[in-house]
Amino acid sequence: MRRVMSGMNRVGVEDEFVVENVKQNWKDGGRRSGGVMEVVGAVLTVLSVVFILFTFPLTAWMCAKVIREYERAVIFRLGRVVKGRAKGPGLFWVIPWLDVIQKVDLRTVSFNIQPQEVLTADGVPLKVDAVLFYRVVDPSLWVTRVKNGYQATHTLAQTALRATLGAHTLTDILMQRTGISKRMEEVLYTASRLWGVQVERLELKDLTLPVSLQRCMASVAEAARNARAKVIVAEGEVKASRALKEAASGLSPVALQLRYLQSLSSVQSSASIVVFSLPIELLDMFIPHLP
């Protein structure tokens, strides 16, 4: 029994050894194949350069490329990106039968985010649209890290808009639009910098509320304005009465009589107004004398 167990253990160890050898050989074979392909690529490049040098006057128009000031060219040679920065602007040379050129525009791109249905933190439905400004800062990452950079950026902006606004209440969105825009810019920058994109600015263009909610908000605002107007009128009347009291306390009886007559003369005469002039002394019987 011990012999059988020892034989089985030997078989297991041998199997593991075989598997490890296969894995190691596969890795070594991959490295060797990769090294062979690099050597083949280098030989093809050297032969192509020699051919171009011998036939330079004829192949110059095929090898010369021009890139505008706002563009950069990412060159793929035998399927791999050529090391170094992207080419451009101006004139540069390529190997036509080995290189594939992909141009990237570095100008700022602006696009309108389609109106998004957003539910705020306090349960208010909103329809929000915004505008985003961004530009490509690393053409190599823009070409190699994302398949359709423009579509990916647009989708990311829509998702960030819904997620950020959904975490705030309606009052915060209306009062802190600038701060919310800054937070969304940070979220977009963190997610898109791996693609070689720099988000420059994001602005909320319009917030559309339901009609019923607009009416409620208008009613609340109107009631608040009416209450404030009544308070202001009351405060004005109090101040006016205090001023009249202070003015009357400093007048003599003769001055008070003259003021009374002047007030009568300022009253406009009309058919609906009848003015009777009475001596002030007659009012002494009705007004109690103060000590």
Side-chain angles (χ1 to χ4, degrees), residues 225-291:
R225 291 191 181 95
N226 291 334
R228 186 177 179 184
K230 291 180 180 179
V231 170
I232 293 174
V233 171
E235 291 177 353
E237 292 179 353
V238 171
K239 292 180 180 179
S241 63
R242 289 176 181 174
L244 289 174
K245 182 179 178 181
E246 293 176 358
S249 63
L251 293 177
S252 62
V254 177
L256 185 60
Q257 182 69 23
L258 292 176
R259 181 60 181 166
Y260 173 68
L261 294 176
Q262 185 179 3
S263 300
L264 291 178
S265 64
S266 63
V267 176
Q268 296 181 358
S269 62
S270 62
S272 61
I273 298 177
V274 179
V275 179
F276 295 95
S277 178
L278 296 175
I280 297 179
E281 288 78 3
L282 295 177
L283 300 177
D284 294 339
M285 295 183 297
F286 304 98
I287 300 176
H289 294 281
L290 297 176

Side-chain angles (χ1 to χ4, degrees), residues 22-214:
V22 170
K23 291 182 179 180
Q24 187 66 30
N25 292 332
W26 182 78
K27 292 181 180 179
D28 295 339
R31 293 176 182 175
R32 292 174 182 175
S33 61
V36 171
M37 294 305 297
E38 291 179 358
V39 172
V40 172
V43 171
L44 291 176
T45 303
V46 172
L47 294 177
S48 300
V49 171
V50 172
F51 177 76
I52 290 171
L53 291 177
F54 278 106
T55 60
F56 179 72
L58 299 177
T59 57
W61 63 275
M62 297 177 59
C63 299
K65 300 294 180 181
V66 178
I67 293 295
R68 298 182 180 91
E69 182 68 27
Y70 56 84
E71 292 179 338
R72 296 295 183 271
V74 180
I75 302 176
F76 291 88
R77 180 165 296 168
L78 296 176
R80 295 186 177 182
V81 178
V82 176
K83 295 181 180 180
R85 299 176 57 186
K87 303 297 182 181
L91 179 68
F92 63 95
W93 303 94
V94 297
I95 302 175
W97 47 86
L98 297 182
D99 296 344
V100 176
I101 302 174
Q102 189 165 352
K103 298 181 181 179
V104 178
D105 196 331
L106 301 185
R107 293 177 292 183
T108 300
V109 179
S110 64
F111 78 94
N112 294 321
I113 302 176
Q114 297 179 356
Q116 302 294 313
E117 294 287 346
V118 179
L119 186 65
T120 61
D122 52 351
V124 179
L126 285 179
K127 183 177 288 186
V128 185
D129 59 343
V131 59
L132 177 66
F133 299 88
Y134 68 93
R135 64 187 180 92
V136 179
V137 295
D138 194 330
S140 299
L141 295 179
W142 179 254
V143 173
T144 57
R145 290 291 181 86
V146 60
K147 182 177 181 180
N148 190 343
Y150 297 103
Q151 183 65 31
T153 305
H154 295 181
T155 305
L156 179 63
Q158 294 175 1
T159 306
L161 179 64
R162 290 194 296 267
T164 305
L165 294 182
H168 294 80
T169 61
L170 177 61
T171 305
D172 294 338
I173 295 174
L174 295 177
M175 300 296 294
Q176 304 176 5
R177 296 181 63 173
T178 303
I180 293 175
S181 298
K182 294 294 183 182
R183 295 189 193 99
M184 284 191 288
E185 290 177 10
E186 294 175 358
V187 172
L188 291 174
Y189 173 76
T190 303
S192 62
R193 64 180 179 178
L194 300 177
W195 305 340
V197 179
Q198 180 179 354
V199 176
E200 295 182 344
R201 192 172 182 180
L202 188 144
E203 292 290 341
L204 298 177
K205 292 177 59 179
D206 190 18
L207 301 174
T208 304
L209 297 173
V211 178
S212 59
L213 184 58
Q214 292 180 13

